[in-house]
Amino acid sequence: MANDDTIQGRADEMSLEELREEIRDIDQEIVELIARRTYVADTIAQVKEDRGLPTTDESQEAAVMERAGENADQFDVDRNLVKAIFRLLIELNKAEQRESR
């Protein structure tokens, strides 16, 4: 990820509309990644159902949350905020898995 000086340098060169366009592009990428993650989670749910495994795997959830925190630290983003977002993603996937069973 770019450092603050690089971002500031780019911001000085870009118009407000260009910056907003970049945000729109990033927002679309985020939604695409959420859709991709949801698809993979749905596939995992199908595998779990086929194998008679429980929907919830607390050790896996803990590993996801730990990775989220580590990634937040790596990119200098608020760890608690990132973990809260991942908690929402996990809950979304769990709800969808329960509905599909």
Side-chain angles (χ1 to χ4, degrees), residues 3-22:
N3 65 33
D4 290 342
D5 292 336
T6 302
I7 293 169
Q8 185 60 46
R10 288 188 63 213
D12 291 343
E13 297 171 9
M14 297 175 77
S15 71
L16 183 57
E17 188 52 41
E18 288 172 325
L19 290 166
R20 287 180 175 157
E21 180 63 32
E22 187 164 345

Side-chain angles (χ1 to χ4, degrees), residues 80-94:
N80 291 325
L81 175 63
V82 170
K83 289 176 85 171
I85 291 167
F86 272 81
R87 173 59 48 209
L88 288 171
L89 291 171
I90 289 169
E91 291 305 317
L92 168 72
N93 294 142
K94 286 168 58 175

Side-chain angles (χ1 to χ4, degrees), residues 13-79:
E13 297 171 9
M14 297 175 77
S15 71
L16 183 57
E17 188 52 41
E18 288 172 325
L19 290 166
R20 287 180 175 157
E21 180 63 32
E22 187 164 345
I23 288 289
R24 284 190 289 271
D25 292 345
I26 292 167
D27 289 349
Q28 182 175 349
E29 289 177 35
I30 290 169
V31 172
E32 288 173 5
L33 289 171
I34 290 170
R36 182 174 154 201
R37 187 183 197 285
T38 299
Y39 173 80
V40 173
D42 289 345
T43 304
I44 289 170
Q46 186 61 52
V47 169
K48 285 180 179 180
E49 184 176 0
D50 292 348
R51 295 181 183 174
L53 299 171
T55 300
T56 301
D57 182 344
E58 291 182 16
S59 66
Q60 181 61 26
E61 289 179 29
V64 169
M65 296 303 288
E66 182 60 28
R67 260 194 330 268
E70 290 169 359
N71 287 331
D73 293 344
Q74 178 183 349
F75 292 103
D76 197 27
V77 178
D78 184 282
R79 177 182 261 272

